[in-house]
Amino acid sequence: MIGILSFLGFTILVAVIAYFATKSTNEQTSDGYFLGGRSLTAGVIAGSLLLTNLSTEQIVGLNGNAYSDGILVMAWETLAAIAMVICAIYLLPRYLKGGISTIPTYLERRFDKTTKAMTSGLFLSGYAIVLLPIVLYSGSLAISGMFDLPAKLGVSEWASIWVCVWSIGIIGSIYAIFGGLKAVAVSDTINAIGLLIGGLLIPIFGLYAISDDNSLLGGISKLTTEHPEKFDAIGSESSSIPFATIFTGMVLVQLFYWGTNQQIIQRALGAKNLKEGQKGVLLAACFKILGPLIVVLPGIIAFHMFDGQLEKADQAYPKLVAAVLPVTLVGFFAAVLFGAILSSFNSALNSCVTLFGLDIYKEYVNKEASESKVVSVGKRFGVLLALFSMILAPFLYYASDGLFGYLQQVNGAYSIPILSAIVIGFLTKRVPAIAAKAGIIFAVVVYVIYIFMQRGLGVEWLPHMLHVQAITFVLTIILMLVIGKLKPRETDYVQEYTNEVDITGWKYVKPVGLIITLIVISTYIIFR
């Protein structure tokens, strides 16, 4: 009962603070609703970036991978910091200079409207079919298990999943659809603080639990002494992240996610100025370096605590939490996880609403629509999309075997085409729109063929998926450059400054970025 009360108390507190923090935002304008009135400060941006990224799928999944492979899976966290440095120094100034609301908008200006429509369609498909349902499903599993809802409600696990999916979906939709980006970002910031506190408590309690002398250092010493192989960051070819992939597909995955993914970059696009945006992104990068303490170390602790005897690696984190977390903190931690689930869901949903309202409805359905009309239509689309996701999500219960690994692989079908077009757009001035469209289609087709060969036909000799993503990227870039050489634009593309926000950069952005990069590199030297 105490756990449920603390869960409800923290969740309601977040909602109340978010409500009062967004009362003054004009949600009837595009900037007000989709970008929080371009008023987000560094702290809000950093908190929103972190919690949008962290979800139950990542917390449970990465700790499961750490249980099996050890610290080498930290690449998903630490290397993200370098991608965020690149975003802050190179990408964000160009985004804010153009005053864009969506990534496809940039591609429209650089290439043409068809390129914009193609990328918007890829984003919407990836979010609606893959991201939203899996966030709802994985989050429902965590909440249902933490409170043992099937037993408490006297229902089957299947019925409990339905209850949780619709509860999370409805609450998340209220934030995303009716609150806009600022409500999402403010609630994310509060929940991010809770997640950092709660997430760090798990490895602390875990280290105390396995220590012979009831100390943190004693716990660390026991792990490093008895399981030295778990602290080798250099992955072999048989591991989930072979070391070579860090220099191929991993770079691209991180650069897409933190530099061009609408769901993520939309927080930085809502910055009040470039200085706040850069500080927010780099602040989040600093916390990403500490990410392994939350999403990697607990998995290694669980491996020791349960003698590597768990039936499934993904059981590592939930079982560790149940074993070491005091009962009085269960409700708080469940509320924090609930916030992480909500963040991933409402962030993706808000991005879908933004993409549909600005890139689809305003462009192709009603070009004369007022800003309030675009916002209104976007909200209605969000309601339909949320309902679709809530109906689809519970059925993943019957298709969960290998699902998360499959979804990570499938994401490349839209991340590589979009990243390829953006890279060419930034680095060249004469490559034409036809090259971007041909490149996007080529990348989608090549990568889908790879997925079909591996998953459908079971071909075993294919390279690691991260290598395939890198190969696809390189071939796509070459194709675009060749077309640009044969049929270039008549004039150079020049980006215009729209004066939406002040684009004076933070004077310490490069020194701080360099420090973050050196720290990341040093972790691989330490754990080699």
Side-chain angles (χ1 to χ4, degrees), residues 280-515:
V281 172
L282 292 182
L283 178 60
C286 293
F287 283 111
K288 287 301 288 182
I289 297 174
L290 301 175
L293 295 177
I294 297 175
V295 297
V296 175
L297 181 58
I300 301 175
I301 296 172
F303 180 85
H304 173 84
M305 181 173 289
F306 303 113
D307 298 319
Q309 298 300 310
L310 296 179
E311 293 181 9
K312 294 182 178 181
D314 283 346
Q315 295 175 337
Y317 194 75
K319 286 189 175 293
L320 180 67
V321 172
V324 304
L325 193 65
V327 176
T328 52
L329 293 177
V330 170
F332 165 74
F333 192 67
V336 166
L337 283 182
F338 186 67
I341 299 162
L342 281 182
S343 175
S344 296
F345 177 74
N346 60 30
S347 297
L349 187 59
N350 180 260
S351 294
C352 288
V353 169
T354 304
L355 287 166
F356 179 81
L358 297 180
D359 293 351
I360 304 297
Y361 180 78
K362 176 71 172 177
E363 192 64 52
Y364 296 100
V365 180
N366 186 357
K367 293 184 178 181
E368 304 302 321
S370 63
E371 290 197 342
S372 60
K373 179 66 174 179
V374 172
V375 171
S376 176
V377 170
K379 288 181 177 181
R380 290 201 291 271
F381 174 77
V383 171
L384 293 176
L385 188 58
L387 290 173
F388 171 79
S389 301
M390 287 186 277
I391 292 172
L392 178 62
F395 291 96
L396 297 178
Y397 179 83
Y398 295 105
S400 59
D401 185 28
L403 182 64
F404 298 137
Y406 173 74
L407 291 174
Q408 288 178 347
Q409 187 183 60
V410 168
N411 283 339
Y414 73 93
S415 65
I416 295 303
I418 293 172
L419 180 62
S420 300
I422 291 174
V423 167
I424 284 293
F426 274 139
L427 299 182
T428 68
K429 296 182 178 181
R430 286 293 186 101
V431 173
I434 185 64
K437 289 177 282 194
I440 290 172
I441 295 172
F442 173 79
V444 171
V445 171
V446 168
Y447 196 76
V448 168
I449 289 174
Y450 158 71
I451 294 174
F452 175 74
M453 289 179 66
Q454 187 181 66
R455 293 283 178 172
L457 301 180
V459 178
E460 298 181 356
W461 53 263
L462 292 169
H464 191 280
M465 81 170 177
L466 291 174
H467 287 318
V468 173
Q469 290 184 9
I471 293 170
T472 304
F473 175 79
V474 171
L475 292 176
T476 303
I477 292 293
I478 292 174
L479 174 64
M480 291 183 186
L481 290 175
V482 169
I483 295 176
K485 188 70 174 178
L486 296 175
K487 192 178 180 180
R489 285 170 51 113
E490 294 182 359
T491 59
D492 288 351
Y493 170 75
V494 179
Q495 185 181 26
E496 296 181 3
Y497 177 30
T498 61
N499 289 294
E500 294 284 352
V501 296
D502 180 12
I503 58 170
T504 302
W506 185 37
K507 62 180 179 179
Y508 298 115
V509 64
K510 290 184 178 179
V512 172
L514 178 60
I515 292 171

Side-chain angles (χ1 to χ4, degrees), residues 134 222 313 487:
I134 196 60
K222 181 175 282 288
K487 192 178 180 180

Side-chain angles (χ1 to χ4, degrees), residues 140-160:
S140 297
L141 279 179
I143 296 298
S144 178
M146 186 165 287
F147 284 117
D148 192 18
L149 290 183
K152 285 185 170 61
L153 299 177
V155 298
S156 66
E157 187 177 17
W158 163 248
S160 175

Side-chain angles (χ1 to χ4, degrees), residues 3 5 55 84 104 106 154 193 260 338 383 438 455 492:
L5 288 176
S55 66
M84 296 164 81
Y106 166 77
I193 297 172
T260 64
F338 186 67
V383 171
R455 293 283 178 172
D492 288 351

